[in-house]
């Protein structure tokens, strides 16, 4: 029997396994239940005891040799070149690895918050699903007042049919929440998403982003508002850009204004972006209405404050010279991948 084992050992060592089929045939011949090695073990049981020690050792070695041969063939087999005999070209460039980039709205939102946090404004956030009080009531929009129509609202129907909840139409709702929960001095900005029931076009969307600003303390004046916004514009668009204020109306501020900047595209000479006026509107602002302070339990005889709110998309469109607002929401990679270098 030892002779037989020796010749099988030689055979195993010399056999070549080049592909999966060879490997399977090898396994069937030597290592399967009906294979050579199993039958040798059967035969081993019939040997007289004095022969068992050396034959058993040889038989174990034979089994190990077969298993090792098969395992080695499998490791090599995992490399395609061993089976298909194709060579891997190590000089080929690696698979392209594309880095993502921030969304332009995130980039601009971050720039805006950085500019304000540098001068002491603290970021605060609030819910996108709001109640009437925080979005309208506390901000001095009386019930049924036409000013509510300034912002087309998505109301959320409640069981009784009376809308209790809505998607916030502006981030001014966050200033109410901050004033309700903090004591002056308050200096905060609130970036966030807002919703309006508007027809989608190149200049309007049913969702967009705003940054709201609020500063309340003793003796805060319109001059502080002007200087703060002037600083913002200089940081965002450069010192050459001019600003101007036009009287306006918001229920929550008195006096109210809208602020324009000199057109950054034509530098005031007149172009389609500024509709040949040389000016582009970027925000609404004003001195916080005493009713709003009182609604939030802040003493309007002692404190005054300013507030402003602006659209992030509007700023991003000017900054990156983008003509169509819809691009921000379509997630077209050809558009988004252009902001890689900005980060
Ligand atoms: N909430 C206004 C809007 O969405 C923007 C705004 C105007 C915010 C004046 C203010 C403000 O804080 O004082 O149109």
């Amino acid at each position: 029997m030892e002779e037989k084992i020796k010749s099988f050992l030689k055979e195993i060592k010399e056999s070549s396994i080049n592909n999966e089929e060879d490997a399977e045939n090898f396994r069937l011949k030597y290592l399967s239940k009906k294979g050579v090695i199993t039958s040798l073990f059967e035969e081993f049981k019939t040997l007289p005891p004095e022969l068992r020690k050396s034959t058993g050792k040889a038989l174990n070695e034979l089994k190990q040799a077969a298993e090792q041969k098969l395992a080695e063939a499998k490791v090599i087999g995992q490399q395609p070149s061993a089976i298909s005999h194709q060579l891997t070209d190590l000089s080929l460039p690696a698979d392209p690895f594309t880095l993502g980039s921030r969304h332009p709205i995130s980039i601009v939102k971050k720039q805006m918050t950085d500019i304000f946090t540098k001068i002491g404004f603290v970021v605060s956030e609030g819910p996108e699903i709001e109640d009437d009080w925080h979005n309208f009531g506390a901000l001095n929009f009386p019930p049924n007042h036409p000013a509510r129509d300034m912002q087309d609202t998505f109301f959320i129907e409640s069981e009784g049919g009376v809308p209790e909840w809505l998607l916030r139409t502006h981030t001014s709702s966050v200033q109410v929440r901050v004033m309700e929960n903090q004591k002056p001095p308050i200096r905060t900005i609130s970036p966030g998403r807002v919703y309006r029931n508007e027809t989608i076009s190149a200049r309007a969307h049913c969702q967009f982003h705003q940054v709201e600003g609020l500063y309340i303390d003793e003796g805060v004046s319109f001059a502080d508002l002007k200087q703060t916004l002037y600083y913002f514009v200089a940081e965002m668009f450069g010192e050459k850009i001019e600003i101007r204020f036009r009287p306006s109306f918001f229920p929550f501020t008195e006096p109210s204004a809208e602020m324009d900047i000199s057109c950054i595209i034509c530098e005031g000479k007149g172009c389609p972006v500024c509709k040949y006026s040389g000016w582009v509107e970027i925000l609404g602002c004003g001195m916080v209405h005493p009713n709003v302070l009182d609604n939030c339990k802040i003493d309007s005889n002692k404190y005054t404050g300013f507030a402003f709110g602006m659209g992030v998309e509007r700023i991003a469109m000017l900054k990156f010279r983008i003509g169509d607002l819809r691009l921000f929401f379509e997630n077209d990679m050809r558009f988004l991948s252009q902001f890689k270098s900005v980060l």
Side-chain angles (χ1 to χ4, degrees), residues 19-128:
N19 50 37
E20 279 182 30
E21 202 183 329
D22 289 352
E24 183 57 8
N25 287 338
F26 180 92
R27 191 190 66 80
L28 286 172
K29 178 164 181 197
Y30 297 105
L31 291 164
S32 67
K33 273 191 190 155
K34 290 184 183 156
V36 168
I37 294 175
T38 316
S39 64
L40 284 172
F41 271 103
E42 289 301 316
E43 196 179 329
F44 172 77
K45 287 182 197 158
T46 63
L47 285 183
E50 60 279 13
L51 286 181
R52 285 201 183 173
K53 198 173 172 200
S54 65
T55 315
K57 192 167 170 257
L59 196 49
N60 278 331
E61 280 168 6
L62 180 72
K63 190 176 177 201
Q64 275 168 13
E67 283 170 348
Q68 197 181 344
K69 181 92 189 175
L70 191 63
E72 278 168 10
K74 282 198 174 150
V75 172
I76 296 167
Q78 282 165 3
Q79 297 167 7
S81 57
I83 292 178
S84 58
H85 301 290
Q86 285 168 357
L87 287 175
T88 306
D89 183 352
L90 295 175
S91 68
L92 281 177
D95 285 343
F97 178 74
T98 20
L99 271 185
S101 57
R102 276 178 201 264
H103 193 282
I105 293 300
S106 305
I107 295 170
V108 172
K109 202 167 69 174
K110 178 159 188 309
Q111 283 175 349
M112 291 166 80
T113 43
D114 285 351
I115 291 172
F116 285 110
T117 49
K118 255 205 268 177
I119 54 166
F121 282 76
V122 178
V123 175
S124 46
E125 287 179 343
E128 290 178 20

Side-chain angles (χ1 to χ4, degrees), residues 183-335:
K183 289 202 167 64
I186 293 171
R187 206 188 276 138
T188 185
I189 47 159
S190 324
R193 192 178 295 149
V194 300
Y195 303 86
R196 289 191 198 171
N197 191 359
E198 296 211 18
T199 312
I200 296 170
S201 72
R203 299 181 61 92
H205 209 284
C206 56
Q207 56 163 348
F208 54 99
H209 300 79
Q210 286 188 332
V211 169
E212 177 83 10
L214 176 72
Y215 178 30
I216 296 183
D217 202 350
E218 288 180 48
V220 175
S221 71
F222 203 96
D224 297 316
L225 169 63
K226 261 174 102 172
Q227 195 53 40
T228 305
L229 293 176
Y230 188 67
Y231 154 79
F232 167 73
V233 170
E235 289 283 304
M236 195 71 190
F237 296 110
E239 285 185 358
K240 276 200 202 141
I241 302 298
E242 290 176 61
I243 59 173
R244 79 172 184 190
F245 290 83
R246 281 177 292 103
S248 185
F249 170 78
F250 300 103
F252 37 93
T253 42
E254 183 56 39
S256 305
E258 279 174 315
M259 192 183 87
D260 300 338
I261 58 170
S262 53
C263 181
I264 63 160
I265 306 220
C266 64
E267 291 176 349
K269 289 186 206 80
C271 71
V273 171
C274 61
K275 298 202 197 97
Y276 301 97
S277 70
W279 296 96
V280 189
E281 185 220 313
I282 63 162
L283 57 84
C285 60
M287 299 304 294
V288 180
H289 197 295
N291 289 355
V292 177
L293 295 175
D294 293 340
N295 284 340
C296 301
K297 313 257 172 332
I298 288 179
D299 184 354
S300 59
N301 293 317
K302 188 170 175 200
Y303 294 104
T304 51
F306 68 68
F308 57 87
M310 60 187 131
V312 181
E313 281 76 4
R314 168 70 63 94
I315 305 289
M317 285 169 91
L318 288 169
K319 195 133 182 104
F320 297 131
R321 308 193 177 194
I322 295 164
D324 193 326
L325 185 93
R326 289 168 290 197
L327 286 165
F328 291 124
F329 302 101
E330 283 166 358
N331 286 335
D332 185 332
M333 289 306 289
R334 291 168 301 177
F335 172 70

